[in-house]
Amino acid sequence: MTRTATMHRATAETDIAVEVNLDGTGRADVATGIGFFDHMLDAFARHGRIDLAVRVAGDLQVDGHHSVEDAGIVIGQALGAALGDKAGITRFGSAFVPMDEALVLAALDISGRGQLHWAVEVPFGMVGDFDTQLAREFFIALAANAGITLHMRQLAGDNVHHILEAAFKACGRALRAAVAIDGALAGEVPSTKGTL
Ligand SMILES: [Mn+2]
């Protein structure tokens, strides 16, 4: 069984299409109109070992906010849909990812309760055409719509490209561990409630 989903969402601000395959090979096909954001989603997919296709047509004449936040919403919805009833998943995942002087921890629980706990000190400004404040907005939307409890914590780092790239890689790597099928569960949902 492969766990896949396609999702489309159109508003007055953005039109976004996403395809995910949790049992993929890390193949990314991403075009958001924001080069650095494409680079981040590519890293997220590659290190998450999920196949991820993302098309964003957003109101970049305003700024990148709607495009990045709404991409987080739709990717989150697609991840949640692809997880289905969550039978047999490992549920928890975490990863420390260094990138040169930067070090970021992502720890997540596919809990059904979407929330972000963010302790990443991203200097305000632009990296390429990406407003660095939008990274937090992306992860808020992702966690809320995928139904995951996501902690992201920076342990070191100065260069904003390094910090952000370590964050996206760490989230991908933690997600990869959490969505992996745990054979010992034999298809059970790993919750005392019997549902996630
Ligand atoms: Mn890079």
Side-chain angles (χ1 to χ4, degrees):
M1 184 190 74
T2 50
R3 297 170 294 171
T4 63
T6 64
M7 207 58 69
H8 177 239
R9 179 180 187 268
T11 72
E13 296 171 342
T14 62
D15 187 313
I16 300 180
V18 170
E19 294 177 32
V20 298
N21 178 1
L22 297 179
D23 301 298
T25 57
R27 191 160 34 90
D29 177 13
V30 176
T32 67
I34 302 172
F36 183 79
F37 188 40
D38 290 353
H39 180 43
M40 293 299 100
L41 293 179
D42 186 52
F44 173 72
R46 190 172 307 270
H47 295 282
R49 208 166 166 79
I50 60 173
D51 293 343
L52 178 67
V54 180
R55 290 290 177 278
V56 178
D59 55 356
L60 294 177
Q61 77 283 2
V62 176
D63 67 6
H65 197 115
H66 303 139
S67 292
V68 173
E69 181 176 21
D70 293 1
I73 290 172
V74 186
I75 294 169
Q77 289 174 341
L79 290 172
L83 278 163
D85 65 4
K86 302 169 189 165
I89 62 167
T90 303
R91 178 175 169 179
F92 301 98
S94 61
F96 289 95
V97 169
M99 184 160 185
D100 296 344
E101 89 297 340
L103 177 62
V104 176
L105 164 69
L108 68 83
D109 174 13
I110 300 173
S111 59
R113 301 182 303 280
Q115 47 185 265
L116 175 70
H117 299 277
W118 178 256
V120 181
E121 300 299 322
V122 187
F124 289 169
M126 300 296 288
V127 50
D129 49 1
F130 183 83
D131 174 353
T132 60
Q133 294 185 79
L134 297 182
R136 180 167 175 270
E137 301 305 310
F138 171 80
F139 286 111
I140 289 172
L142 184 84
N145 288 277
I148 61 179
T149 303
L150 175 61
H151 285 253
M152 302 199 67
R153 187 163 288 272
Q154 176 189 341
L155 290 95
D158 295 311
N159 180 283
V160 68
H161 188 130
H162 292 163
I163 295 166
L164 292 177
E165 189 163 338
F168 277 84
K169 285 177 175 171
C171 184
R173 191 81 193 188
L175 185 68
R176 174 181 172 182
V179 305
I181 297 297
D182 179 348
L185 288 172
E188 281 178 38
V189 174
S191 167
T192 52
K193 294 190 285 288
T195 184
L196 285 169

